[in-house]
Amino acid sequence: SQKMLDEYMALHYATHDDSIPPSLPTSLNNAVSSSTSKGVELAGALHFPQRCAGLVGTWAEKLGVTQERALDIGCAVGGSTFELARGFNQVVGVDLSASFIQAAQALQQDGQLPFFRRDEGDLGVSRVASVDPDLANKVAFRRADACALPPEYIGFDAVLIANLLCRLPSPRACLGRLGGPRGLVKPGGLVVLVSPYSWMAEHTPKEVWLGGFERDGREVKSAETLVSLLSDEFELRHEEDMPLLLREHKRKYQFIVSHAMVFQRKQE
């Protein structure tokens, strides 16, 4: 829908002032009892796609991974894809949504794209997203299914999968493409998985959830399942919380804390 497209354009490209609630303190510990808050800075929850891409670049540098080719699975309107291009020479962004890919391609071609910042009901203001033309020359966007990616996609230096796994009908189908003889990630390369683990039967059948249920009297957690599924070919290098503030309108925001994990594929 146009409403969802506008929300994602804002998430990926809105300015600080358009993203922060205007009448709230910048720190949540000023808004609630100090005994129940760790003092999350709202500003630290902005620019989520760019921070995910930055995590990829940071760990590529730390681990000495070549920053030649990167793949952004579930790229939406492309904020993380363009950001990856600051360090990588070639970046491919894929998403199943035709409207998201069309928006990303329009930004790449024209350098800017208008979107609507909703304030209340049908009221709001028009804003314009813009991207650096030097980055636009290093990216490509394609509509593709994360559970059935093109077979020619192999040997990337880094793969980013952000806030996507718990929206897939078969998360294991996506994860299964990461390794193997024609794996998405080259030996020594990185995959960064970011997810809030918001499992819902309407998106993912319960029988293929990675966590969020009990089995044989034991709680199954998604992060543990991911480590187990990838352990044969990948080593967990780092994990951290990745907060996200998503604006719906002037008085309604979603505050999400995703979990980020950095894996490195073992050398053959």
Side-chain angles (χ1 to χ4, degrees), residues 117-193:
R117 190 204 71 188
R118 193 172 307 277
D119 290 335
E120 179 182 342
D122 293 332
L123 302 178
V125 294
S126 181
R127 291 290 190 250
V128 178
S130 60
V131 297
D132 185 337
D134 291 336
L135 302 180
N137 293 331
K138 299 165 68 176
V139 304
F141 294 99
R142 176 175 175 175
R143 189 182 182 197
D145 184 347
C147 299
L149 290 167
E152 65 270 22
Y153 283 8
I154 60 172
F156 287 89
D157 297 288
V159 173
L160 173 63
I161 306 176
N163 282 16
L164 178 69
L165 284 177
C166 55
R167 289 296 176 265
L168 297 177
S170 179
R172 283 176 173 81
C174 177
L175 296 169
R177 276 296 314 277
L178 294 174
R182 293 184 60 81
L184 295 170
V185 184
K186 73 174 188 180
L190 299 180
V191 58
V192 174
L193 303 176

Side-chain angles (χ1 to χ4, degrees), residues 190-203:
L190 299 180
V191 58
V192 174
L193 303 176
V194 187
S195 178
Y197 309 135
S198 298
W199 301 107
M200 301 172 67
E202 64 189 82
H203 299 297

